[in-house]
Amino acid sequence: MSQRFGWSRGLVALLIAGQLGACGSTPRVPYTASEAAAATVPGMDLSIRAYADASEKTFTEMSARPENKKVPFAYLALSGGGGDGAYGAGILNGWTDSGKRPEFSLVSGVSTGALIAPFAFVGPEYDNILKDIYTSGVASTLVQSPSVTNVLFGSGLFGDGRLRDLVRRYVTPDLLVAVAAQHAKGRRLLVVTTNLDSQRAVIWNMGAIATNGGPTALDLFADVLTASASIPAVFPPQLVDVQAEGRSFQEMHVDGSVVTPVFTLPQSFLLRDGRFKAGSKSDIYVIINGRLEPEFDLAQNNTLSIVERSFTTASRARSRATLASTYAFTRSNGIGFNLTYIDESSPNTTAARGFDTGYMRKLYEAGYEAGHTGTFWRKSVPTAPLLKAMTEAR
């Protein structure tokens, strides 16, 4: 099978498998909604996570409070996008070499953005790891030799733990020490997963996990990153051990982009930070690891093509809606809005998509060149095609 493999193909495979997959799946320990609401991770503080739709008070511990308050507040949000994460890795590395990359007060990551986030958070000394993840060819191994058996009797087309193995290759004790050190300075690293049992996005405070230390912290850190990047039907979900009301059970977590393609903390919460008041110097930087603008391509009249095209369309539409909301918030509160995404000048994805190594290398280089030359930030959200055409016609 080609490495163009997309997550919608896995979804179609599971739909075809139907009841066979349901009969062959591994049974889980049942638990109730009340137990779900009270669930905690053994050995961890309550501050390590919160639902994305929780009250503002819940996010107090996740507020970035850097020691040096004279440094401008910089929020980096990294989106999902699979192999297109090579673009974000290139942007960050090129930005470093330009000498203009700031120290981020807060970093959030979803899906492939979650894999980038820890290294963006700890600083440029980890840039070589970002490049290795997306250009060495190791990412291509994630989608080699899909298993029909996994489709019928498991929970993902690639169900042998290869994604978690890749994550553990880069999530080391030294990385956790570095994350904990930055967390102690008041900076924050957040990663999004989707809890399928509760059908809600979960925000994980990765610095709090790292600060806990020990093997438990290392395993949970890797589990969360794996879960955030576990594209449904392609990679198996991550089961997280929790406890509540004297019982132990497991929550099922998958790709954070199921709920949100890119995450910024609730706007009302951000306003509680004095540096987000009008007149203060603060910026939100959003790296979309993918395309935003609709592209014409004749959809083939078959199930696979229709499903893949539909999910791509929905993902781009949700991304634009999220960005429009964030942009409106920054405009009304005097905050700098900075957006970059893969556009028409980047390598074409028609011939190769996903985790094709050659494509990812080209995309990384395109991102690096943009980051190095400083030509990558857009100050507004792309105009809808119809409005754009009407504007240009005037």
Side-chain angles (χ1 to χ4, degrees):
M1 179 176 288
S2 165
Q3 291 177 1
R4 297 183 66 246
F5 189 90
W7 74 270
S8 60
R9 286 171 167 76
L11 177 58
V12 171
L14 286 190
L15 289 174
I16 293 173
Q19 293 302 311
L20 284 175
C23 295
S25 60
T26 303
R28 299 176 60 204
V29 174
Y31 65 102
T32 66
S34 63
E35 289 174 326
T40 60
V41 179
M44 293 285 168
D45 295 334
L46 295 177
S47 62
I48 68 164
R49 66 179 191 168
Y51 283 118
D53 54 5
S55 66
E56 294 176 31
K57 293 181 179 179
T58 305
F59 288 100
T60 300
E61 169 57 25
M62 296 188 186
S63 175
R65 297 181 292 275
E67 294 174 332
N68 187 354
K69 299 186 183 301
K70 295 182 180 180
V71 175
F73 193 95
Y75 188 165
L76 174 67
L78 297 151
S79 84
D84 283 355
Y87 177 74
I91 284 288
L92 286 164
N93 287 9
W95 198 3
T96 294
D97 289 348
S98 74
K100 297 179 180 179
R101 174 175 158 182
E103 179 179 86
F104 305 114
S105 310
L106 195 156
V107 177
S108 67
V110 181
S111 195
T112 198
L115 302 183
I116 298 172
F119 307 105
F121 177 73
V122 293
E125 59 269 27
Y126 281 81
D127 281 0
N128 62 320
I129 292 181
L130 277 180
K131 182 178 181 180
D132 189 72
I133 292 173
Y134 290 97
T135 67
S136 68
V138 65
S140 67
T141 64
L142 293 174
V143 291
Q144 291 176 353
S145 304
S147 170
V148 176
T149 301
N150 286 336
V151 173
L152 297 177
F153 302 106
S155 51
L157 201 58
F158 306 96
D160 55 3
R162 64 183 75 177
L163 176 58
R164 193 179 190 283
D165 288 343
L166 183 143
V167 170
R168 282 294 283 112
R169 174 175 177 170
Y170 297 101
V171 174
T172 64
D174 287 345
L175 175 64
L176 260 66
V177 169
V179 169
Q182 296 305 315
H183 180 82
K185 295 178 180 179
R187 300 173 62 221
R188 293 294 180 263
L189 169 62
L190 309 178
V191 165
V192 183
T193 66
T194 299
N195 183 328
L196 280 187
D197 297 328
S198 299
Q199 294 188 316
R200 299 166 77 183
V202 179
I203 313 305
W204 296 83
N205 186 341
M206 305 302 283
I209 294 174
T211 299
N212 187 83
T216 300
L218 190 65
D219 287 341
L220 181 61
F221 199 99
D223 286 347
V224 172
L225 294 185
T226 303
S228 186
S230 291
I231 303 168
V234 177
F235 301 115
Q238 193 67 35
L239 298 175
V240 178
D241 293 325
V242 295
Q243 60 187 19
E245 301 176 7
R247 297 184 64 240
S248 296
F249 47 92
Q250 293 179 313
E251 298 171 341
M252 181 178 284
H253 290 256
V254 297
D255 197 329
S257 62
V258 168
V259 175
T260 178
V262 63
F263 176 77
T264 55
L265 282 169
Q267 296 172 6
S268 56
F269 175 81
L270 290 175
L271 286 175
R272 293 171 56 191
D273 191 301
R275 286 159 292 179
F276 276 99
K277 292 180 180 178
S280 63
K281 178 57 180 174
S282 54
D283 283 280
I284 291 180
Y285 300 93
V286 182
I287 297 179
I288 297 294
N289 294 299
R291 284 169 162 75
L292 282 176
E293 298 164 325
E295 298 173 293
F296 177 80
D297 187 22
L298 188 66
Q300 300 304 308
N301 192 15
N302 60 68
T303 301
L304 190 63
S305 177
I306 292 169
V307 171
E308 182 174 19
R309 190 71 174 169
S310 297
F311 277 102
T312 300
T313 301
S315 178
R316 293 186 187 182
R318 287 191 300 125
S319 293
R320 291 196 299 272
T322 300
L323 290 171
S325 175
T326 301
Y327 176 66
F329 166 70
T330 59
R331 285 293 300 272
S332 62
N333 291 282
I335 300 168
F337 178 83
N338 307 273
L339 168 68
T340 185
Y341 58 92
I342 302 173
D343 59 19
E344 63 278 357
S345 67
S346 300
N348 195 313
T349 59
T350 301
R353 293 180 184 270
F355 297 97
D356 177 84
T357 301
Y359 164 65
M360 286 192 289
R361 287 174 179 169
K362 291 180 181 178
L363 195 55
Y364 172 87
E365 292 300 331
Y368 179 88
E369 181 63 20
H372 186 258
T373 58
T375 59
F376 58 108
W377 290 125
R378 298 169 184 256
K379 302 300 180 179
S380 62
V381 181
T383 305
L386 178 60
L387 294 177
K388 182 178 181 181
M390 292 173 63
T391 301
E392 292 176 345
R394 292 175 181 173

